[in-house]
């Protein structure tokens, strides 16, 4: 189930990478336009093209590092900031690229917000916005108040958007970890239940058998009749214990189909996946119901342990079970021991079994039993 948050993370990052790539392309076009119009010397245009390329090479690296947690500021963050500042001061503020250089500074501030505490981010954004407004107003003669308003608004929107995107990824990641924990807990609880039953059955009996065996060993040279009686009691107690264990295992194996359907639905919903059941079980023999119950249990366990499913559909009709989920993770993975054991059980009883991914990107478990 590890692929789903990884996919979400890649989608978020690739979307941002694509946006940065588009801004880089527009920046290069604007640099070329300023050079052609004569507003920017050719040498300065080349330097700016190199700087803007370096900035947009560092930006995805900074974004990737900051997506998992809040790292400390790095030299790469400082270098990207210096590049954006140099680009702003070396570019004509009355050319076509004016807005692009201001956006480059704003983009760097949003990246810095992923590395800095909130208070430091506010101070940095306010300082840069004020500096940009004062410099642009002085050079162009435009009212610095209007420039400050626009720059402050852009900074707020970019920083908020960047923080929201990272928060969204953290929510997806934490929800997935919680789902994995619930799935493991469901499997562990079933194991503990069976272990507890065996302990309750055998703990007392084995303790008594041990004590009587020790007593018989001591009496073997003193009172052979009593030693024989103690060993007879040990044999009887061992037989009773064996019978109780067989009954417990039989009860564990004799599953109820309706209970298993309800249990699988509850386990999947607890793990964050919806479960739709369409079961027509009228006319099925007790042995067929038990086989299908085993298939439902193993199929549910397989989904919880090995898939990233968000939806599962269980259909039973005329002795044929189909469990379909949307959580395919490894198309080339070999069936696990649980599915192999289920296949052997069904084939031994005259049924059929198959499990694997479908062309539609789903995983289908199909089990047919003699009705």
């Amino acid at each position: 189930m590890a692929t789903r948050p990884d996919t979400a993370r890649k989608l978020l990052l690739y979307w941002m990478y694509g946006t940065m790539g588009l801004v880089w392309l527009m920046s290069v076009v604007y640099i070329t336009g300023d050079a052609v119009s004569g507003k920017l010397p050719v040498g300065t245009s080349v330097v700016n093209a190199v700087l803007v390329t370096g900035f947009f090479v560092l930006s995805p690296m900074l974004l990737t590092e900051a997506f998992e947690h809040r790292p400390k500021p790095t030299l790469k963050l400082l270098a990207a900031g210096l590049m954006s500042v140099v680009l702003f001061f070396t570019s004509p503020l009355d050319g076509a690229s004016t807005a692009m250089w201001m956006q480059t500074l704003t983009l760097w501030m949003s990246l810095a917000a992923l590395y800095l505490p909130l208070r430091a981010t506010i101070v940095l954004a306010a300082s840069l916005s004020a500096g940009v407004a004062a410099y642009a107003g002085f050079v162009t003669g435009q009212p610095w108040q209007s420039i400050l308003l626009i720059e402050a608004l852009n900074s707020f929107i970019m920083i908020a958007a960047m923080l929201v995107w990272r928060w969204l990824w953290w929510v997806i990641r934490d929800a997935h970890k919680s789902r994995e924990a619930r799935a493991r807990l469901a499997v562990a609880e079933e194991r503990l239940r069976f272990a507890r039953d065996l302990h309750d059955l055998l703990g007392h009996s084995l303790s008594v058998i041990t004590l009587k065996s020790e007593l018989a060993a001591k009496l073997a040279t003193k009172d052979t009749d009593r030693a024989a009686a103690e060993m007879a009691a040990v044999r009887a107690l061992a037989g009773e214990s064996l019978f109780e264990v067989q009954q417990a295992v039989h009860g564990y194996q004799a599953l109820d189909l309706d209970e298993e359907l309800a249990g699988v639905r509850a386990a999947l919903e607890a793990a964050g996946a919806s479960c739709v059941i369409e079961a027509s079980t009228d006319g099925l023999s007790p042995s067929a119901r038990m086989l299908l119950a085993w298939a439902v249990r193993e199929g549910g366990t397989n989904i919880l342990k090995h898939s990233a499913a968000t939806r599962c559909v269980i259909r039973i009709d005329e002795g044929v079970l189909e469990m379909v989920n949307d959580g395919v993770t490894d198309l080339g993975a070999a069936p696990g021991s649980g599915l192999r054991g289920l296949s052997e059980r069904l084939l031994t009883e005259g049924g059929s079994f198959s499990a694997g991914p479908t062309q539609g990107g789903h995983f289908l478990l199909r089990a047919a039993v003699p009705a």
Side-chain angles (χ1 to χ4, degrees), residues 130-208:
V132 167
Y135 176 76
F138 175 77
V139 172
T140 63
Q142 299 178 5
W144 64 269
Q145 294 89 343
S146 60
I147 299 175
L148 177 60
L149 178 61
I150 294 173
E151 182 64 15
L153 182 61
N154 286 341
S155 299
F156 174 77
I157 293 174
M158 287 289 292
I159 291 173
M162 194 68 73
L163 293 176
V164 167
W165 275 110
R166 185 173 66 175
W167 171 82
L168 179 60
W169 157 238
W170 283 355
V171 169
I172 295 172
R173 180 193 61 188
D174 293 344
H176 177 77
K177 289 181 178 179
S178 176
R179 177 182 173 183
E180 282 187 326
R182 289 195 299 267
R184 290 194 299 268
L185 181 61
V187 175
E189 284 181 346
E190 178 61 20
R191 293 174 177 171
L192 287 174
R193 184 192 69 81
F194 189 61
R196 184 172 58 251
D197 290 345
L198 287 179
H199 177 270
D200 293 342
L201 286 172
L202 295 178
H204 176 71
S205 299
L206 291 178
S207 297
V208 175

Side-chain angles (χ1 to χ4, degrees), residues 13-98:
L13 290 176
Y14 289 165
W15 181 85
M16 292 185 180
Y17 294 165
T19 302
M20 290 181 180
L22 179 61
V23 175
W24 169 82
L25 181 61
M26 294 173 63
S27 300
V28 173
V29 171
Y30 282 131
I31 291 173
T32 304
D34 285 340
V36 171
S37 66
K39 293 183 177 181
L40 195 65
V42 175
T44 306
S45 299
V46 174
V47 172
N48 282 5
V50 172
L51 288 175
V52 78
T53 300
F55 177 83
F56 283 104
V57 167
L58 289 176
S59 295
M61 298 180 184
L62 295 169
L63 189 63
T64 302
E65 290 177 358
F67 230 58
E68 284 294 340
H69 53 278
R70 186 189 298 275
K72 295 181 179 180
T74 63
L75 291 177
K76 285 183 286 190
L77 181 65
L78 178 60
L82 291 175
M83 288 179 184
S84 64
V85 170
V86 172
L87 282 168
F88 177 76
F89 283 109
T90 58
S91 301
L93 296 182
D94 57 347
S97 59
T98 302

Side-chain angles (χ1 to χ4, degrees), residues 323-369:
M323 296 183 67
V324 183
N325 72 82
D326 61 354
V328 176
T329 56
D330 188 354
L331 298 177
S337 58
L339 293 183
R340 288 196 298 269
L342 177 61
S343 176
E344 294 171 358
R345 180 190 296 270
L346 288 168
L347 293 176
T348 301
E349 298 295 331
S352 62
F353 175 80
S354 63
T358 66
Q359 293 182 349
H362 293 75
F363 189 91
L364 170 64
L365 182 150
R366 188 178 188 277
V369 299

Side-chain angles (χ1 to χ4, degrees), residues 230-293:
E230 292 294 340
M231 290 307 300
V234 167
R235 183 177 62 181
L237 188 56
E240 292 175 2
S241 300
L242 177 61
F243 176 76
E244 290 175 349
V245 171
Q246 290 174 339
Q247 290 294 106
V249 173
H250 177 72
Y252 183 76
Q253 292 177 336
L255 306 180
D256 181 79
L257 179 57
D258 294 333
E259 290 181 359
E260 290 304 315
L261 288 171
V264 166
R265 169 186 280 172
L268 290 176
E269 290 179 349
S274 64
C275 182
V276 178
I277 298 177
E278 302 171 2
S280 177
T281 59
D282 296 338
L284 293 177
S285 64
S287 60
R289 292 177 64 88
M290 187 178 70
L291 287 172
L292 290 178

